[in-house]
Amino acid sequence: MTLDKTFDPKQIEDKHYGAMEKSGAFAAKPQSNNAPYTVMMPPPNVTGSLHMGHALNMTIQDILTRYNRMNGKDALWQPGTDHAGIATQMVVERQLDSEGLHRRDLGREKFLERVWQWKAESGGTIVNQLKKLGATPDWERERFTMDEGLSKAVTKVFVQLHKEGLIYRDKRLVNWDPHFQTSISDLEVEQKEQKGKMWHIRYPVEGAEAEYITVATTRPETMLGDTAVAVHPEDERYTHMIGKNVVLPITGRIIPIVADEYSDPEKGSGAVKITPAHDFNDFEVGKRHNLPMINVFDTQARIVKDNGSIPDAYHGLDRFKAREMILRELEELDALMEVEDIKNALPYGDRSGVIIEPFLTDQWYVDAKTMAGPAIEAVEQGKTRFIPKNWENTYFEWMRNIQPWCISRQLWWGHQIPAWYDEDGTVYVAENVEEAQKQAGSDAKLTRDEDVLDTWFSSALWPFSTLGWPDTDNVDIKVALDKYYPGDVLVTGFDIIFFWVARMMMMGIHFMGDVPFKDVYIHALVRDSKGQKMSKSKGNVMDPLELIDKYGADALRFTLTAMAAQGRDIKLAEERVDGYKKFATKLWNASRYCEMNNCIPQAGFSPDNLQYTPNIWIVSALVDAKGAIEKAVEEYKFNEAANAIYQFVWGTFCDWYLEFTKPLLQEEGADAATTAEIRATTGWALEQIYVLLNPFMPFITEELSEAMCADKGQLLMQGAWPQYSEKLSNKDAASKMDWLIAVVSEIRSVRADMNVPAGAKIQLLVKGASDVTRESFADYEEIIKRMARIENIAHTDMAPKGAIQTIVDEATLILPIADIIDLDAERERLKKRISKLEDDINKINQQLGNQAFVANAPEEILEEKKTLLIEAETAREKFSAALEQLEAA
RNA sequence: GGGCGGUUAGCUCAGUGGUAGAGCACUUGCUCGACACGCAAGGGGUCGCAGGUUCAAUCCCCGCACCGCCCACCA
């Protein structure tokens, strides 16, 4: 088969993915004896579409999976999607809204039908996008957090934790989202700083004419629910008032002045209004002083109607409207003392974008504090390690200060809580209604808890629920759990360490008795080229699918890989993607060259006994590159892996090896044995490149290996990763070629400096400065002869007068081209070289003259310096001599 | 307020206790049978600022400045 003239990613990508998937190469093989390698895919939201963060996350996982699979591991990359409670409900509600409907019009059952219908129609989007990226999870095992098995796991976990007292029901303040009319967890609240106002309001003291106490607040509307004013017990301004009452303006309720250390004399007036039902701190104060908790809002954050003391005019009023009205009224009452402009942070719901209201309700909680203990210990003991390590601090910090986790949501889409209430309100938690009925007695009339669980509750079980837990009676499931739990690595962004990683740790340890994964690789956030977070509102979103369309999936993957340095955000510039597209093209064309020159992989070729130095060298360089890639991947240094393969393919293989050998292949009458060896070695090296590059650029390498290699399309198979014998790494050949490369570079440099006309042939004589160098020259000269054509060099045995001399390492090159060069330019060149050498010499002499340095520096550093000095001095002498000769002429 | 990270070439970023690197951009010259998505040769840096440790600091320690992020609080 012949390769097309240009490389077009679009033509090959779909074709390859489909074929590979069908071949079953992505599938885990639980029955095999191969050691497992497990990666749990963070399940993307079923509503989602692929964004740059996914692209990075999935690329890294895919590299790890492919790499380990090729290394003979039984790789399981477990895919799936998350039902994403609020997000999904939101999408479907919006859809209903466009039809003029509300979910309550449909009722719970019909609404859920609609969501499932939506999921069936649109839920596959992200899966298809992952395929475009080239991700190779085991699609046969794809799971959904709401499917039957996972729901069963959720129920079992809930019931068991409840039995153990780790899940309980409690009435306390929660973060209430008035838009979705549900509680949300602390983590779903975003603080946003903005301009605000502080209002100072005076409350008249009961029974004392003209005596007031002034409080300051950013939320005057909550005064409808005030049940006290607190002052610091030692604040002399107020000690005499403690125990007295104030009359709350507008409502006229009488509330006490209490002493509480929460009140800070330094802040505001030193007196603070206490609204236990609408402020987290006030709630604590309220509990300490047994204050009543008066709720003034309904679930949509409108003023309630049934609170005895609130004037009718406020009933049903939106919280911000109520604020305006309160302020107006206070002003009329002459109670508003001061309005201050301030900056303050307000809590917003991360999904709804509306201001969160602290709200007093009954909710279900997980005793996270207790469950965090073993999870902290596991990381302390190194059972799970974070990479980079500094994220462990973040994890510890949060886990040690963890708050009860509110897990109930007043939504419909999600796992409905397995709790039933009888007519007295007694709760029965059970795996099903029959069980609950048994507990409650057959007469009891049970109704099920309406609420569903936080989405993250089911995600927390992902590492074992996806494997089939709790059905351990099933043999296949037992085998899978034994083999694939705990997983090897979790790859994720730091933004969900708390949401997800921490909770998987807690649940995994509790239910499986072991951590869910050994490594947690935390990758950077992808930002735009200016370092800003990508967001739709800023309009700086880069769409991975567009980039794939434009540059190919391989180029995008490689870019993300090359930029995934640990501990740093990725500022992604489109030019980088373009650059790596060029890399793919380069490889494509190198393959074309090889094909045209009949350098194709040959069966039975062994790189062990090569004769021709460049061949020995390229094999050696390849072995070194492989080692560098392996080390980098195993240390999760993906940028280093990408650079190693890039450098090898372009900088070593194409730029030097192919160029060195090219003249020989195209020369008539060249030594047949040598050219045959070159052809075979080139073909072999090319095939190795496809293999080594495959985890990073799967599409192009699969296409090329299919086109070029005999054993087509084997790259994905277990055991495809090469194993080389150690002796293939040949230092001798490497140093010879390094020298030769230096010589060639020098010749090119002189040629450019001297403005040697393009067609002019220059002659070259290599003279060794030392015996060692001279001894090796037979080999060098041979090689130089071989490559003479491309550099347009003629070899000479004698240096004519007026030749240009130049130094490379220990050898002198004599370039007898004086008749065709620019003498002034040569003088300048020599002067420049000499001056630079003198700088170096001075610097080294200075160091060597320092007695402390000589006394303390390690031996090898000293030796190095001395060698450098001798080299520089020799070179300076030679250049000076050449300059003198030139001046004389 | 607590914590974390960053500051290296025009840009985006690697890196190291002992000659400072890459890609892109830039300059110059090349369409010679893989590739102009290319080849070759170049220019360009007090490694944020100030101290300290060391024979030696871009790297380790301390402080400062600026930038970014996370957490908490905000009467």
Side-chain angles (χ1 to χ4, degrees):
Chain A
M1 130 166 220
T2 313
L3 293 174
D4 290 342
K5 170 123 192 177
T6 51
F7 161 57
D8 179 10
K10 270 185 227 165
Q11 296 217 334
I12 62 172
E13 292 187 351
D14 290 344
K15 168 178 95 178
H16 275 279
Y17 193 91
M20 288 296 166
E21 189 181 0
K22 260 184 223 137
S23 76
F26 308 168
K29 298 171 181 65
Q31 303 302 334
S32 78
N33 289 325
N34 300 29
Y37 184 80
T38 313
V39 182
M40 285 290 161
M41 177 189 290
N45 285 357
V46 68
T47 53
S49 63
L50 195 76
H51 58 62
M52 223 30 111
H54 290 128
L56 171 67
N57 179 253
M58 298 295 178
T59 298
I60 289 172
Q61 291 177 74
D62 194 49
I63 289 170
L64 288 169
T65 304
R66 285 176 187 261
Y67 173 81
N68 280 284
R69 187 154 51 211
M70 289 169 88
N71 264 300
K73 296 269 182 70
D74 171 26
L76 166 62
W77 183 14
Q78 172 65 53
T81 47
D82 189 277
H83 68 279
I86 293 185
T88 310
Q89 180 155 334
M90 214 162 89
V91 170
V92 177
E93 279 184 8
R94 209 177 292 144
Q95 218 178 40
L96 286 177
D97 193 52
S98 69
E99 297 165 27
L101 287 169
H102 187 266
R103 67 175 153 122
R104 296 196 198 280
D105 302 334
L106 294 182
R108 186 170 191 136
E109 212 164 304
K110 279 266 178 330
F111 177 77
L112 289 178
E113 268 173 36
R114 274 294 290 257
V115 185
W116 281 107
Q117 189 194 331
W118 177 89
K119 195 240 168 198
E121 285 163 10
S122 319
T125 309
I126 192 143
V127 167
N128 290 322
Q129 291 172 335
L130 286 176
K131 292 181 179 181
K132 281 208 100 76
L133 188 68
T136 59
D138 185 351
W139 291 117
E140 292 291 310
R141 290 177 167 268
E142 183 185 346
R143 303 302 295 266
F144 177 55
T145 47
M146 288 269 283
D147 68 25
E148 207 190 321
L150 271 63
S151 299
K152 192 170 166 187
V154 166
T155 307
K156 187 172 167 87
V157 164
F158 187 96
V159 172
Q160 189 175 326
L161 287 178
H162 179 262
K163 208 178 283 172
E164 295 170 24
L166 292 168
I167 283 182
Y168 55 91
R169 203 166 157 74
D170 196 9
K171 190 185 199 80
R172 42 185 288 165
L173 282 188
V174 291
N175 299 295
W176 186 263
D177 186 319
H179 176 77
F180 291 118
Q181 299 177 53
T182 178
S183 58
I184 57 177
S185 77
D186 299 347
L187 289 172
E188 290 161 280
V189 179
E190 279 179 342
Q191 302 288 336
K192 286 190 201 166
E193 184 135 307
Q194 52 195 236
K195 279 183 215 160
K197 287 195 192 326
M198 176 98 76
W199 289 277
H200 297 251
I201 305 163
R202 64 179 188 183
Y203 292 176
V205 178
E206 186 193 26
E209 280 298 312
E211 197 175 356
Y212 298 94
I213 190 161
T214 302
V215 296
T217 180
T218 53
R219 304 213 45 201
E221 67 279 11
T222 63
M223 68 181 286
L224 298 173
D226 283 3
T227 54
V229 169
V231 297
H232 196 274
E234 281 153 31
D235 189 340
E236 288 170 9
R237 289 172 295 178
Y238 300 113
T239 40
H240 68 284
M241 290 187 184
I242 295 167
K244 290 187 179 175
N245 293 324
V246 297
V247 183
L248 200 56
I250 298 176
T251 61
R253 267 192 298 115
I254 307 296
I255 59 173
I257 297 171
V258 299
D260 195 286
E261 305 216 327
Y262 163 65
S263 178
D264 181 351
E266 303 288 309
K267 282 186 184 167
S269 62
V272 56
K273 67 195 260 315
I274 299 297
T275 321
H278 295 290
D279 181 282
F280 289 98
N281 288 308
D282 294 4
F283 180 74
E284 296 302 320
V285 177
K287 278 208 293 199
R288 282 199 284 275
H289 296 272
N290 278 321
L291 299 172
M293 305 201 174
I294 300 178
N295 186 19
V296 302
F297 294 128
D298 66 12
T299 57
Q300 294 181 60
R302 295 173 307 203
I303 305 293
V304 290
K305 294 182 177 146
D306 55 354
N307 176 313
S309 66
I310 298 176
D312 289 356
Y314 287 92
H315 292 180
L317 214 55
D318 173 80
R319 51 188 164 162
F320 302 110
K321 290 262 161 38
R323 176 182 298 176
E324 285 169 27
M325 194 159 149
I326 295 250
L327 289 169
R328 232 179 296 134
E329 207 172 334
L330 286 173
E331 210 157 355
E332 281 161 22
L333 294 169
D334 198 23
L336 191 59
M337 306 310 290
E338 191 190 338
V339 183
E340 205 182 329
D341 285 318
I342 55 156
K343 260 191 193 166
N344 65 341
L346 294 177
Y348 283 82
D350 64 354
R351 292 280 170 195
S352 65
V354 305
I355 295 176
I356 292 307
E357 202 58 59
F359 197 58
L360 193 60
T361 51
D362 286 303
Q363 302 288 346
W364 290 94
Y365 292 89
V366 168
D367 177 357
K369 187 102 205 154
T370 302
M371 294 191 73
I376 293 168
E377 226 170 83
V379 175
E380 281 170 344
Q381 292 170 353
K383 285 181 189 161
T384 294
R385 54 181 194 138
F386 281 72
I387 298 127
K389 197 169 167 42
N390 57 307
W391 288 110
E392 287 179 7
N393 291 329
T394 308
Y395 172 84
F396 287 139
E397 178 65 20
W398 189 71
M399 289 292 255
R400 286 176 183 144
N401 297 300
I402 199 164
Q403 298 299 309
W405 172 19
C406 175
I407 50 171
S408 44
R409 297 288 180 276
Q410 289 63 55
L411 304 171
W412 286 349
W413 176 241
H415 301 98
Q416 194 170 356
I417 290 173
W420 286 263
Y421 302 92
D422 64 17
E423 285 150 309
D424 303 331
T426 309
V427 66
Y428 304 94
V429 171
E431 294 196 22
N432 51 53
V433 67
E434 291 78 20
E435 279 299 316
Q437 195 74 59
K438 258 188 234 164
Q439 290 176 29
S442 52
D443 321 335
K445 226 179 141 196
L446 295 179
T447 46
R448 184 161 186 181
D449 194 315
E450 294 269 307
D451 293 351
V452 299
L453 288 164
D454 181 6
T455 295
W456 296 102
F457 190 88
S458 54
S459 317
L461 317 180
W462 188 253
F464 51 95
S465 65
T466 50
L467 295 173
W469 188 91
D471 285 336
T472 41
D473 293 343
N474 179 318
V475 179
D476 289 340
I477 287 171
K478 191 168 181 326
V479 167
L481 280 166
D482 285 346
K483 187 164 187 182
Y484 301 119
Y485 190 98
D488 289 84
V489 63
L490 178 78
V491 178
T492 190
F494 62 82
D495 48 334
I496 53 174
I497 290 179
F498 306 144
F499 275 115
W500 195 44
V501 180
R503 285 152 179 181
M504 279 191 287
M505 290 291 288
M506 295 192 268
M507 292 295 192
I509 292 170
H510 194 84
F511 286 93
M512 298 297 292
D514 198 356
V515 294
F517 23 74
K518 293 168 206 143
D519 289 350
V520 180
Y521 175 70
I522 303 287
H523 63 244
L525 216 62
V526 184
R527 298 171 181 281
D528 75 1
S529 60
K530 292 185 187 115
Q532 301 209 307
K533 205 168 174 172
M534 290 186 190
S535 74
K536 276 180 194 153
S537 56
K538 281 187 206 140
N540 61 349
V541 176
M542 295 171 82
D543 181 354
L545 295 158
E546 274 174 29
L547 290 175
I548 287 174
D549 197 49
K550 208 163 156 190
Y551 303 104
D554 288 330
L556 176 65
R557 288 170 62 110
F558 205 83
T559 309
L560 292 168
T561 310
M563 300 193 74
Q566 285 184 14
R568 251 225 239 220
D569 287 346
I570 295 178
K571 288 187 215 159
L572 187 63
E574 194 170 322
E575 296 83 72
R576 290 294 292 258
V577 189
D578 188 43
Y580 290 118
K581 159 86 191 293
K582 291 176 180 170
F583 175 55
T585 307
K586 184 73 182 177
L587 178 65
W588 183 269
N589 277 297
S591 300
R592 278 188 69 221
Y593 163 84
C594 290
E595 188 189 41
M596 290 164 70
N597 285 284
N598 213 12
C599 298
I600 50 175
Q602 289 168 18
F605 171 82
S606 159
D608 286 316
N609 294 306
L610 298 171
Q611 301 303 315
Y612 186 51
T613 304
N615 288 343
I616 300 170
W617 164 72
I618 195 67
V619 169
S620 174
L622 184 80
V623 171
D624 294 347
K626 172 186 170 260
I629 294 164
E630 287 171 345
K631 184 168 182 286
V633 170
E634 273 151 32
E635 289 173 356
Y636 301 100
K637 292 179 177 169
F638 299 100
N639 57 325
E640 289 183 13
N643 287 334
I645 186 76
Y646 182 94
Q647 219 30 257
F648 176 77
V649 171
W650 201 318
T652 304
F653 183 71
C654 291
D655 283 352
W656 290 107
Y657 179 71
L658 292 185
E659 296 299 339
F660 271 138
T661 53
K662 184 189 280 177
L664 208 55
L665 294 182
Q666 298 174 349
E667 190 178 291
E668 277 182 40
D671 179 63
T674 306
T675 53
E677 192 185 279
I678 291 172
R679 288 205 163 86
T681 309
T682 307
W684 179 82
L686 195 62
E687 187 176 22
Q688 302 306 303
I689 286 170
Y690 298 152
V691 182
L692 298 180
L693 187 57
N694 179 261
F696 307 91
M697 292 190 145
F699 294 107
I700 188 171
T701 50
E702 276 153 28
E703 170 72 15
L704 287 173
S705 82
E706 214 168 86
M708 301 283 295
C709 304
D711 48 351
K712 299 177 176 183
Q714 295 298 302
L715 295 187
L716 271 175
M717 296 299 150
Q718 278 189 351
W721 194 258
Q723 307 297 328
Y724 306 131
S725 95
E726 273 177 35
K727 64 179 188 208
L728 288 181
S729 181
N730 187 316
K731 292 245 158 32
D732 184 46
S735 74
K736 280 181 186 170
M737 289 302 289
D738 283 350
W739 183 83
L740 184 59
I741 286 169
V743 170
V744 172
S745 299
E746 179 65 18
I747 292 169
R748 286 172 179 170
S749 171
V750 169
R751 192 198 289 277
D753 277 357
M754 294 302 99
N755 303 316
V756 177
K761 180 166 277 199
I762 62 175
Q763 288 181 294
L764 173 69
L765 168 65
V766 180
K767 277 173 79 178
S770 70
D771 291 344
V772 182
T773 329
R774 209 168 294 129
E775 239 171 61
S776 316
F777 278 161
D779 214 3
Y780 295 144
E781 290 189 44
E782 175 64 17
I783 296 161
I784 288 167
K785 271 189 217 164
R786 297 279 182 224
M787 58 157 301
R789 194 165 110 193
I790 190 163
E791 287 306 321
N792 203 11
I793 293 164
H795 191 258
T796 180
D797 297 323
M798 205 173 71
K801 278 186 185 170
I804 289 176
Q805 295 196 1
T806 194
I807 317 293
V808 178
D809 290 343
E810 291 183 57
T812 306
L813 308 186
I814 296 169
L815 312 171
I817 52 174
D819 52 329
I820 53 171
I821 59 150
D822 177 345
L823 289 182
D824 288 336
E826 169 65 355
R827 192 179 300 122
E828 284 312 302
R829 182 182 78 96
L830 291 173
K831 281 185 181 164
K832 219 165 107 186
R833 296 291 287 260
I834 292 167
S835 127
K836 197 167 179 222
L837 284 165
E838 270 168 358
D839 284 352
D840 290 352
I841 290 165
N842 286 340
K843 217 162 143 189
I844 300 171
N845 271 330
Q846 217 167 6
Q847 276 188 307
L848 289 176
N850 183 340
Q851 289 190 355
F853 171 70
V854 177
N856 293 308
E859 195 62 27
E860 69 261 26
I861 300 281
L862 271 176
E863 284 304 311
E864 212 180 295
K865 294 279 174 197
K866 282 178 190 163
T867 315
L868 279 173
L869 184 64
I870 291 166
E871 273 178 19
E873 280 175 339
T874 319
R876 182 184 57 180
E877 275 165 36
K878 292 197 175 167
F879 281 118
S880 301
L883 185 61
E884 268 170 41
Q885 216 175 8
L886 187 70
E887 300 289 6

